Amino acid sequence: MQSDALAEVDFYLPSMTLSEYLRDVVPAHPLLGSALDFARPGAEKALRLLTTTTTEFDSDDTGRGDSYRRAQRDSSVRWRGVRQLLELAAESTPERPCTVLDVLGGDGTIARAVHEHAADLHDRFGILTGDLSGEMVAQALAQGLPAVRQAADHLFLGDRTVDAVLLAYGTHHIAPDDRLSAVTEALRVVRPGGRVVLHDFDESSPMADFFTRIVHPYTTAGHDYPHFSRTLLNELFEEAGAPADVVDFYDPLIVHGETEEDARRRMCDYVADMYGVGSFFDTLGGTDACWHVLEQHFGHERYLASLPDRVDFTPGPVVYRSHDTYVAEVPRAAIVAIAQKAA
Ligand SMILES: C[S@@+](CC[C@H](N)C(=O)[O-])C[C@H]1O[C@@H](n2cnc3c(N)ncnc32)[C@H](O)[C@@H]1O
């Protein structure tokens, strides 16, 4: 599977060499084991680069890793979008279980969400979590999830080993120069007829603006990552040899509370942890002021009016009663490219 020199690469994970990972972890995950390939050309260089890479998602000392993972303990908040993305990814394999590589998988939010919220999908999806951050992958493995540390632009998976690939929830973190390689790699590992689904935010969207005006100035690591546009996505997939459909995608944050105030407060806490803006929110002096920031930055009226096609998205943050709870819903409009590998 790999040369002896590679197996001795220290700190493939924070406290594990590659050979320990292959010997002690992989055998527990047959689906992962059957897909892995550390012997591809360039693997040694890619591995050595990984072991010297620190990311903002490792910990709160390097950025917002700990607080990000704290937010993801509640995997229901983004479930509506996650489920839709999985359904888009699996559309080309309706009749059998679908193995999905989640390239920017963090500590396994999507895999965990399927387990926690969709008994009907347990047999439908086998999710392999990938991530650049050793800490994220270690945390995914600690929860018993099949996970691999790899960069999006050099995957340690064999050709045609998965049914679908997701590049989602953080695709803008892939450096612009590496994005074509990331899409090419996704198309390499997917089976003929399988789908690559890329989710991100339009440069002109409220989300991109929130990252620029709030996340970048008020977080330790900043957030200087260019987002995407419909044109860029079309060009990227054309260049990779698999033209994509690009669609508007409603991907809200949804939080429940016992009262209206409680729902708002929980939403503010979630956004604070997810985006690492807790210190900034603390300076605002309470839930009402934080919620006002959300209303200012997650208001989508103008953006929705500018879209080429009419969409039925909730235009701004709302709280409503549903059965015996209060629901806070914060809209996020994303763009999603869907490409199918030639059969
Ligand atoms: C916003 S988080 C999303 C994590 C998870 N998908 C979720 O929704 O909770 C983005 C993730 O992408 C990872 N990442 C950033 N750049 C990457 C790259 N070039 N290759 C692979 N993963 C990367 C980060 O380490 C981080 O865990």
Side-chain angles (χ1 to χ4, degrees), residues 50 55-58 64 68-69 72 78 82 102-110 112 129-134 136-137 150-155 167-175 178 182 211 223 225 270 274-275:
L50 272 189
T55 87
E56 72 177 88
F57 288 98
D58 290 343
R64 56 175 158 133
Y68 188 88
R69 284 186 289 275
Q72 306 323 316
R78 290 185 283 132
V82 167
D102 179 13
V103 175
L104 302 121
D107 69 337
T109 310
I110 293 186
R112 221 171 32 247
T129 297
D131 204 273
L132 182 64
S133 158
M136 282 292 195
V137 172
Q150 59 187 0
D153 60 308
H154 187 112
L155 303 178
L167 290 148
Y169 300 115
T171 314
H172 50 268
H173 287 276
I174 303 173
D178 294 336
F211 279 115
H223 196 280
Y225 305 104
Y270 182 86
M274 166 112 175
Y275 296 107

Side-chain angles (χ1 to χ4, degrees), residues 285-303:
T287 301
D288 285 350
C290 290
W291 184 258
H292 184 57
V293 167
L294 299 188
E295 285 177 325
Q296 279 179 316
H297 291 277
F298 290 78
H300 280 62
E301 290 84 353
R302 255 194 301 166
Y303 176 71

Side-chain angles (χ1 to χ4, degrees), residues 5-313:
L6 288 191
E8 289 322 311
V9 167
D10 283 338
F11 304 118
Y12 170 64
L13 293 170
S15 57
M16 212 182 272
T17 65
L18 178 60
S19 61
E20 287 165 340
Y21 169 75
L22 293 170
R23 185 193 66 210
D24 302 337
V25 175
V26 174
H29 304 288
L31 207 57
L32 177 65
S34 64
L36 287 180
D37 180 0
F38 282 92
R40 293 186 45 247
E44 181 161 359
K45 185 170 165 219
L47 271 169
R48 295 205 187 281
L49 198 61
L50 272 189
T51 60
T52 56
T53 299
T54 302
T55 87
E56 72 177 88
F57 288 98
D58 290 343
S59 68
D60 281 359
D61 291 334
T62 65
R64 56 175 158 133
D66 300 300
S67 63
Y68 188 88
R69 284 186 289 275
R70 188 163 59 236
Q72 306 323 316
R73 281 188 208 144
D74 184 353
S75 65
S76 70
V77 179
R78 290 185 283 132
W79 173 239
R80 181 159 163 186
V82 167
R83 181 170 187 135
Q84 276 184 73
L85 279 183
L86 287 172
E87 282 167 359
L88 284 175
E91 225 164 78
S92 61
T93 54
E95 70 295 341
R96 60 186 171 82
C98 183
T99 305
V100 181
L101 172 67
D102 179 13
V103 175
L104 302 121
D107 69 337
T109 310
I110 293 186
R112 221 171 32 247
V114 169
H115 185 71
E116 291 170 358
H117 305 292
D120 59 320
L121 298 185
H122 290 177
D123 296 334
R124 178 89 181 88
F125 288 101
I127 298 185
L128 306 180
T129 297
D131 204 273
L132 182 64
S133 158
E135 200 54 54
M136 282 292 195
V137 172
Q139 301 272 346
L141 292 171
Q143 296 168 75
L145 301 171
V148 51
R149 186 180 184 199
Q150 59 187 0
D153 60 308
H154 187 112
L155 303 178
F156 298 128
L157 265 61
D159 298 357
R160 302 179 295 277
T161 46
V162 295
D163 298 303
V165 176
L166 271 185
L167 290 148
Y169 300 115
T171 314
H172 50 268
H173 287 276
I174 303 173
D177 284 351
D178 294 336
R179 290 177 182 176
L180 179 58
S181 302
V183 173
T184 307
E185 278 290 84
L187 286 163
R188 177 182 68 75
V189 302
V190 83
R191 291 187 215 289
R195 282 186 165 187
V196 174
V197 174
L198 188 158
H199 161 291
D200 204 66
F201 300 106
D202 190 322
E203 270 297 0
S204 69
S205 70
M207 278 314 296
D209 191 64
F210 173 73
F211 279 115
T212 304
R213 290 180 195 272
I214 302 293
V215 182
H216 184 56
Y218 293 111
T219 56
T220 333
H223 196 280
D224 191 13
Y225 305 104
H227 288 77
F228 287 79
S229 68
R230 289 165 182 76
T231 308
L232 265 176
L233 283 176
N234 278 316
E235 287 172 358
L236 195 56
F237 278 87
E238 282 282 347
E239 209 174 339
D245 283 335
V246 179
V247 298
D248 294 298
F249 186 88
Y250 187 55
D251 194 10
L253 308 175
I254 296 179
V255 165
H256 294 256
E258 287 175 10
T259 62
E260 207 173 320
E261 163 76 9
D262 186 42
R264 282 203 185 101
R265 182 186 56 74
R266 285 172 186 244
M267 176 62 81
C268 291
D269 289 349
Y270 182 86
V271 171
D273 277 344
M274 166 112 175
Y275 296 107
V277 294
S279 305
F280 168 58
F281 277 12
D282 285 347
T283 66
L284 298 176
T287 301
D288 285 350
C290 290
W291 184 258
H292 184 57
V293 167
L294 299 188
E295 285 177 325
Q296 279 179 316
H297 291 277
F298 290 78
H300 280 62
E301 290 84 353
R302 255 194 301 166
Y303 176 71
L304 295 182
S306 76
L307 294 182
D309 298 315
R310 215 186 127 72
V311 292
D312 190 19
F313 296 174

